[in-house]
Amino acid sequence: MTSHDMRRAKNRRGEPALAPVLLAALMASAPAWADAASGAAACTGCHGPAALGSAIPSLDGHAADEIVTQMHAFRSGERRATVMDRIARGFTEEETRAIAEWLAKPEAARHAQP
């Protein structure tokens, strides 16, 4: 759909359609997360830069192996948690490794445009 088509798109009531505009906005922002492992972007909601200074630890600067080890500890019950034990059980070993490797990248590298 071209930008001209998006401007002309109408909904059932004949009003300008919002979906093409939202789709265009999502597509424009997609490359920043394009290389994120499935589930990894959600981790940054609690463990990203905003976590600094809070009770929730930021994962910035942590090595992938360290993140994997902690996820194993949550999954096995070795490390007590409020929700991370359940979250950790929701990922396969391969998904855990992919998430950890993506999170181990510096913040700027995770969001760099190609």
Side-chain angles (χ1 to χ4, degrees), residues 14-28:
E15 299 164 345
L18 186 57
V21 175
L22 292 174
L23 179 61
L26 288 172
M27 289 172 62

Side-chain angles (χ1 to χ4, degrees), residues 27-86:
M27 289 172 62
S29 65
W33 298 97
D35 70 334
S38 178
C43 300
T44 61
C46 294
H47 295 284
L52 294 172
S54 77
I56 300 171
S58 170
L59 294 177
D60 286 352
H62 290 260
D65 287 339
E66 181 183 348
I67 295 169
V68 169
T69 298
Q70 293 304 316
M71 290 290 280
H72 287 170
F74 283 126
R75 191 178 299 139
S76 71
E78 177 186 331
R79 184 168 177 189
R80 295 184 49 112
T82 56
V83 297
M84 278 305 303
D85 54 339
R86 290 172 280 176

